[in-house]
Amino acid sequence: MSTQILVVDDEQLVAFMLKAAFESNGYSVVSAASAAEAVTTLAARPFDAVITDMKMESDSAGFDVVRAARAVANPPAVLILTAFPILARDWRASGADALLSKPSNITQLLDTVAELVSQRRRRATRIS
């Protein structure tokens, strides 16, 4: 089964480009155009990773996505991808695993997500 990723971004072009980049590297990608849509999607099915923008319906909508991801039974790795500066203590306190700034090098983004998913799977193996 391929790695399942949820991409959350209200900018259609960004979501499309992320979806295309990840799918061309063997990932299965679902997109959500808002934090509210992401919360519903996270409740409906499992994901290995979530990549979320920060500023969507509100300046901190990305944190709503992080909280929703952390609330599911088998939480996915969560990466915040944003064009706006966020203090490390704030995104870490939210429960996110990593933060990258837009624009981001696609290779770095792919590598970061692969590492986060790998770490998540290692933790899950140790727990079971």
Side-chain angles (χ1 to χ4, degrees):
M1 185 163 107
S2 67
T3 301
Q4 305 291 308
I5 296 182
L6 175 62
V7 170
V8 187
D9 202 305
D10 59 343
E11 294 181 49
Q12 276 188 319
L13 183 57
V14 172
F16 176 79
M17 289 175 20
L18 290 172
K19 184 174 174 40
F22 279 94
E23 286 181 343
S24 69
N25 281 276
Y27 293 88
S28 177
V29 181
V30 173
S31 297
S34 67
E37 184 181 348
V39 169
T40 301
T41 303
L42 282 162
R45 60 180 281 197
F47 290 93
D48 298 296
V50 174
I51 302 168
T52 186
D53 187 21
M54 179 53 68
K55 292 187 177 188
M56 294 176 283
E57 302 98 312
S58 69
D59 286 351
S60 61
F63 288 144
D64 295 336
V65 176
V66 176
R67 281 189 290 276
R70 291 295 169 238
V72 299
N74 188 10
V78 180
L79 169 73
I80 296 172
L81 183 63
T82 183
F84 300 94
I86 301 172
L87 294 174
R89 70 172 183 252
D90 293 340
W91 67 260
R92 286 186 179 121
S94 77
D97 297 299
L99 179 135
L100 290 176
S101 296
K102 289 179 185 175
S104 187
N105 175 301
I106 196 65
T107 302
Q108 180 186 18
L109 179 59
L110 289 164
D111 290 347
T112 300
V113 169
E115 179 57 30
L116 292 173
V117 168
S118 178
Q119 289 172 7
R120 176 185 174 270
R121 289 182 176 155
R122 284 193 302 270
R123 280 193 304 269
T125 301
R126 285 193 304 261
I127 292 171
S128 36

